[in-house]
């Protein structure tokens, strides 16, 4: 079997810097090398993989299509190499938990509770990254993920944490100014919309047998964090998950106790191959207990 000579790490670092700056001189300055040294590294790399990574167009350096594809993978490789190196340097007797989390859930619910996990399990070192969509555990360096959606994740096991119960809220100032005290009052109020849940208001009104004319009108936002700030600013009413309402209870007014039923919820997912990993088992047990104690499970 023939052996492929893998590129040196220095060549990959030189390529990534040159591709980021699209300028060999700037890349050389960043890496404390000469421009000719960068050029040599790139030349050797191109010879090894057999494709041109850069093209000169009107005295400018541009990535070729092959260079763009290669850059994407090189950045992933360097990121993973950096991460495992940091872990090796810092690990000692620690266990590691690389966790992907839905951003809003992380900020509003998980992180305020994490000091308790750290106090209970000082041997577990946490690395937390925000991710909004499911991914393939086989191709990502995560041990677990907190997932919003239906209880489905191929190749993974899931533990249900809580349902997403959406409740209408507004600021106290807006309530007093517009007289918002009952569900029907919302028919004349700006309704703040969430891009990923475009039918939420319509579904909520239907649940109450109310026919709205404004269910799909109003400013649209791509995250609940933005909507929360818009509610605080008095821009309108919003349907927010209960865990966000509880976190900001002193600033928000519930317009109704009726929640929007949902088939979706929050789950902890982990690859089957890591079911016996100590850090995963400890985090799963702690997280389930926290969800139960919060009254949202």
């Amino acid at each position: 079997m023939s052996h492929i000579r893998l590129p040196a790490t220095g060549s990959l670092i030189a390529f990534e810097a040159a591709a980021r700056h699209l300028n060999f001189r700037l890349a050389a300055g960043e890496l404390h090398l000469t421009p000719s040294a960068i050029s040599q590294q790139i030349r050797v790399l191109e010879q090894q993989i057999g494709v041109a990574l850069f093209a000169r167009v009107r005295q400018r350096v541009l990535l070729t299509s092959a260079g763009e594809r290669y850059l994407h993978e090189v950045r992933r490789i360097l990121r993973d190499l950096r991460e495992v190196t940091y872990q090796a340097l810092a690990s000692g007797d620690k266990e590691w938990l690389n966790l992907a989390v839905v951003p809003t859930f992380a900020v509003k619910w998980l992180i305020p509770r994490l000091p308790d996990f750290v106090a209970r399990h000082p041997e577990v070192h946490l690395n937390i990254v925000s991710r909004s969509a499911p991914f393939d555990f086989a191709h990502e360096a995560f041990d677990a993920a907190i997932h919003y959606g239906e209880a489905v994740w191929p190749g993974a096991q899931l533990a249900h944490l809580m349902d997403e119960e959406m409740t209408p809220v507004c600021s106290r100032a807006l309530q007093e100014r517009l007289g918002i005290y009952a569900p029907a009052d919302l028919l004349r109020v700006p309704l703040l919309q969430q891009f990923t849940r475009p039918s939420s208001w319509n579904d909520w009104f239907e649940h109450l047998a109310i026919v709205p004319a404004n269910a799909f009108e109003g400013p649209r936002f791509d995250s609940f964090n933005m909507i929360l700030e818009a509610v605080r600013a008095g821009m309108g009413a919003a349907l927010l998950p209960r865990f966000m309402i509880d976190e900001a209870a002193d600033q928000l007014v519930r317009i109704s106790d009726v929640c929007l039923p949902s088939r979706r919820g929050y789950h902890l997912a982990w690859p089957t191959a890591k079911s016996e990993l100590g850090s995963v088992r400890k985090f799963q047990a702690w997280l389930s207990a926290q969800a139960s104690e919060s009254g949202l499970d």
Side-chain angles (χ1 to χ4, degrees):
M1 181 184 294
S2 61
H3 294 280
I4 299 174
R5 184 184 174 191
L6 296 176
T9 304
S11 295
L12 298 180
I13 293 173
F15 166 67
E16 193 282 329
R20 180 160 28 88
H21 291 291
L22 291 178
N23 185 300
F24 285 13
R25 180 179 57 81
L26 293 178
E30 177 183 315
L31 300 177
H32 305 289
L33 298 171
T34 64
S36 61
I38 293 290
S39 297
Q40 176 64 17
Q41 294 266 35
I42 300 301
R43 188 158 44 248
V44 170
L45 184 58
E46 290 176 327
Q47 290 172 351
Q48 283 184 295
I49 65 176
V51 296
L53 300 172
F54 292 95
R56 290 192 175 275
V57 180
R58 298 178 182 175
Q59 298 183 330
R60 294 177 59 204
V61 175
L62 300 176
L63 281 168
T64 63
S65 57
E68 291 179 350
R69 291 192 298 270
Y70 196 58
L71 175 64
H72 176 76
E73 296 302 325
V74 165
R75 281 179 172 162
R76 178 184 60 79
I77 290 167
L78 292 176
R79 182 180 65 248
D80 290 348
L81 179 60
R82 187 179 301 112
E83 182 60 34
V84 298
T85 301
Y86 287 158
Q87 291 185 14
L89 290 171
S91 60
D93 296 328
K94 284 184 175 291
E95 302 172 35
W96 287 82
L97 182 69
N98 296 311
L99 181 69
V101 190
V102 179
T104 298
F105 186 87
V107 172
K108 299 299 181 183
W109 192 89
L110 177 64
I111 292 176
R113 291 168 169 79
L114 275 182
D116 181 73
F117 178 79
V118 173
R120 292 173 183 267
H121 298 288
E123 75 283 2
V124 177
H125 188 93
L126 292 169
N127 288 328
I128 300 178
V129 176
S130 64
R131 285 293 183 88
S132 298
F135 50 84
D136 188 343
F137 277 111
H139 299 142
E140 298 276 2
F142 290 112
D143 302 311
I146 295 179
H147 159 61
Y148 167 75
E150 297 183 3
V152 177
W153 194 313
Q157 297 184 32
L158 292 95
H160 176 264
L161 300 176
M162 64 187 71
D163 294 327
E164 183 178 73
E165 297 181 336
M166 306 274 281
T167 304
V169 295
C170 68
S171 69
R172 192 170 302 279
L174 189 69
Q175 180 186 52
E176 294 174 355
R177 180 162 61 86
L178 298 182
I180 310 168
Y181 297 98
D185 295 333
L186 291 167
L187 298 175
R188 51 185 174 77
V189 174
L191 303 180
L192 307 181
Q193 312 282 339
Q194 223 273 18
F195 276 118
T196 61
R197 297 160 176 79
S199 66
S200 290
W201 274 114
N202 191 64
D203 295 342
W204 185 80
F205 280 118
E206 280 189 355
H207 188 59
L208 290 172
I210 296 175
V211 180
N214 61 337
F216 297 99
E217 299 175 3
R220 297 182 181 274
F221 302 86
D222 76 348
S223 76
F224 279 128
N225 279 334
M226 290 184 184
I227 292 179
L228 177 60
E229 294 308 314
V231 172
R232 286 169 169 160
M235 288 185 64
L239 282 169
L240 291 177
R242 266 185 60 199
F243 70 83
M244 292 189 69
I245 297 171
D246 293 343
E247 183 268 341
D250 59 331
Q251 300 169 310
L252 305 180
V253 176
R254 292 194 188 205
I255 302 161
S256 169
D257 289 330
V258 175
C259 295
L260 175 64
S262 175
R263 294 176 302 173
R264 299 184 173 189
Y266 293 88
H267 309 81
L268 179 68
W270 64 92
T272 302
K274 295 189 177 182
S275 295
E276 298 305 314
L277 192 66
S279 59
V280 171
R281 287 190 290 105
K282 293 171 184 176
F283 188 73
Q284 190 272 324
W286 173 83
L287 192 62
S288 294
Q290 290 291 314
S292 180
E293 290 173 11
S294 71
L296 296 175
D297 62 338

